[in-house]
Amino acid sequence: EQVIAYGKRLVESGLVQGTWGNISVRLDLDHMLVTPSGLDYQGLVPEDIVKVNIRTLKYESTRKPTTEKKLHQAILLARPECGAVIHTHSVNCSIYAAAGAEIPITGIELIKRFGGNVRCAAHALPGMSKLNQVALKALEGRNACLLQNHGVICCGSSLADTYELCELLEQAASIIAEDEA
């Protein structure tokens, strides 16, 4: 129910459009809950959320998990302190991702939350292992990264923490874009 609630919040806040973007939450040492592939967040019910084995990516569901399940797997395995991962296509962050540029982070509190400037991972096709590699590299010491030509990844201790990072990053990108306009 929390995954669905945050999925709806992503849509309502403009951080995702339609069925784009995805969420994963660490359930236990071996499992994650992920959003299904191709379904609108507004119509999701708890049975649509897919329980996936973090190590094998096997699942038992009539729904297919997000096509980005390998990316969520890679992050959750590499970052045991993370309890959730959210992938968005927010407008202002996507501008930076399209440009292959990092988002400067200022202010002590934001620097603590993000770990420094939010880097842009090199371009890689969605669903491919190269995307996992470049994302993990860009996430080193950080709680967010841009995926060149693809969007944003945020990871945090909880779903609430991770969602807040998504909002804060889009706000930072928006403020910079307004200042440069």
Side-chain angles (χ1 to χ4, degrees), residues 5-65:
Y6 278 98
K8 289 177 180 178
R9 285 180 71 181
L10 289 172
V11 173
E12 291 161 4
S13 64
L15 294 172
V16 299
Q17 296 78 37
T19 62
W20 292 6
N22 35 70
I23 299 171
S24 66
V25 175
R26 186 186 306 273
L27 187 59
D28 56 38
L29 290 175
D30 295 318
H31 298 94
M32 62 181 170
L33 297 176
V34 299
T35 48
S37 180
L39 292 181
D40 188 328
Y41 289 106
Q42 300 298 348
L44 290 180
V45 296
E47 296 75 31
D48 293 326
I49 305 304
V50 185
K51 181 179 176 182
V52 179
N53 185 297
I54 293 177
R55 299 177 200 305
T56 67
L57 294 179
K58 291 185 179 180
Y59 60 96
E60 294 177 14
S61 175
T62 58
R63 299 287 185 204
K64 288 184 179 180

Side-chain angles (χ1 to χ4, degrees), residues 136-151:
L136 288 174
K137 183 173 175 33
L139 280 169
E140 287 177 3
R142 304 290 193 270
N143 291 321
C145 76
L146 303 174
L147 304 171
Q148 189 171 13
N149 300 323
H150 188 98

Side-chain angles (χ1 to χ4, degrees), residues 112-134:
K112 285 180 187 177
R113 294 287 306 272
F114 287 102
N117 289 348
V118 175
R119 302 180 192 112
C120 187
H123 178 70
L125 294 174
M128 304 304 249
S129 59
K130 182 180 177 189
L131 180 62
N132 304 346
Q133 295 165 2
V134 298

Side-chain angles (χ1 to χ4, degrees), residues 48-180:
D48 293 326
I49 305 304
V50 185
K51 181 179 176 182
V52 179
N53 185 297
I54 293 177
R55 299 177 200 305
T56 67
L57 294 179
K58 291 185 179 180
Y59 60 96
E60 294 177 14
S61 175
T62 58
R63 299 287 185 204
K64 288 184 179 180
T66 173
T67 55
E68 297 295 353
K69 64 187 172 292
K70 290 180 183 178
L71 180 58
H72 289 265
Q73 172 197 42
I75 295 168
L76 290 173
L77 287 175
R79 303 282 297 270
E81 76 280 9
C82 288
V85 177
I86 298 177
H87 170 50
T88 72
H89 295 267
S90 54
V91 174
N92 291 293
C93 289
S94 291
I95 292 168
Y96 282 87
E102 68 178 32
I103 297 176
I105 300 297
T106 58
I108 293 171
E109 287 306 311
L110 287 181
I111 290 170
K112 285 180 187 177
R113 294 287 306 272
F114 287 102
N117 289 348
V118 175
R119 302 180 192 112
C120 187
H123 178 70
L125 294 174
M128 304 304 249
S129 59
K130 182 180 177 189
L131 180 62
N132 304 346
Q133 295 165 2
V134 298
L136 288 174
K137 183 173 175 33
L139 280 169
E140 287 177 3
R142 304 290 193 270
N143 291 321
C145 76
L146 303 174
L147 304 171
Q148 189 171 13
N149 300 323
H150 188 98
V152 181
I153 285 283
C154 292
C155 54
S157 60
S158 67
L159 193 50
D161 178 52
T162 306
Y163 177 83
E164 187 175 0
L165 289 172
C166 293
E167 280 191 323
L168 289 169
L169 187 57
E170 180 64 7
Q171 289 170 5
S174 173
I175 291 166
I176 296 165
E178 286 176 15
D179 287 347
E180 292 178 1

